[in-house]
Amino acid sequence: MDWLDFDTAGCSIQKTLDVIGEKWTVLILREAFNGVRRFDQIRDHVGVSDPVLSDRLRKLVKAGVLATTPYREPGRRARNEYRLTSKGLDLYPVMISLLRWGDEHCTDTDGPPLEVVHRDCGEPVRAVVECAAGHSLASPKEALASPTSAATMRSVPVRG
């Protein structure tokens, strides 16, 4: 059997992209990780329209990535802040990986505009790929992807 004989409809990457795979969603998550929680602040900082922001926030709340917390400024109506849940916080390595990839491959000659460092020692934060035993993997060649019992066969295998 070949990897191409298996259906990818249940792929975890695909399911993840269903939740966070839109540009505005990732930028909203960036803001949440940087402590920006209020609708107007997110909108103004990201430059997204109100309808798009409302839609993306609603989807992130429904997916359990963000939770709403009510607040009220004096003399104003009650509104919601958007805070990362534990499920949302689990996306931190993904966000750091995207940041580091952009730092490496997309920055101007002046360098990246943002640096994320460890609060205690001041060293840059990075995402690391490792196995459950703690061994670091430097390349996908050091890993093996294999179907689990949850994988299903394609009805028509792909042949090259």
Side-chain angles (χ1 to χ4, degrees), residues 128-130 135-144:
V128 177
V129 177
E130 64 181 23
H135 304 117
S136 291
L137 285 73
S139 148
K141 294 177 183 176
E142 297 178 51
L144 173 65

Side-chain angles (χ1 to χ4, degrees), residues 24-83:
W24 296 117
T25 302
V26 175
L27 294 176
I28 291 163
L29 289 171
R30 176 196 67 193
E31 298 306 307
F33 276 106
N34 287 321
V36 181
R37 297 184 178 99
R38 296 185 177 181
F39 186 95
D40 294 347
Q41 293 170 329
I42 296 168
R43 180 198 61 217
D44 295 344
H45 205 235
V46 172
V48 63
S49 70
D50 285 3
V52 171
L53 180 56
S54 293
D55 177 66
R56 299 313 186 275
L57 288 170
R58 188 172 30 262
K59 287 178 180 176
L60 288 167
V61 169
K62 183 178 179 183
V65 173
L66 295 176
T68 56
T69 304
Y71 74 94
R72 178 188 294 249
E73 293 178 355
R76 311 235 14 210
R77 67 180 175 88
R79 306 200 60 176
N80 285 320
E81 288 187 335
Y82 297 88
R83 296 179 178 262

Side-chain angles (χ1 to χ4, degrees), residues 92-141:
Y92 189 62
V94 174
M95 298 301 287
I96 292 297
S97 292
L98 287 170
L99 175 70
R100 292 297 172 224
W101 188 89
D103 289 350
E104 180 70 24
H105 301 286
C106 301
T107 58
D108 296 331
T109 55
D110 294 339
L114 175 73
E115 183 66 58
V116 178
V117 299
H118 184 220
R119 189 180 301 268
D120 290 346
C121 73
E123 288 298 313
V125 173
R126 60 191 172 110
V128 177
V129 177
E130 64 181 23
C131 72
H135 304 117
S136 291
L137 285 73
S139 148
K141 294 177 183 176

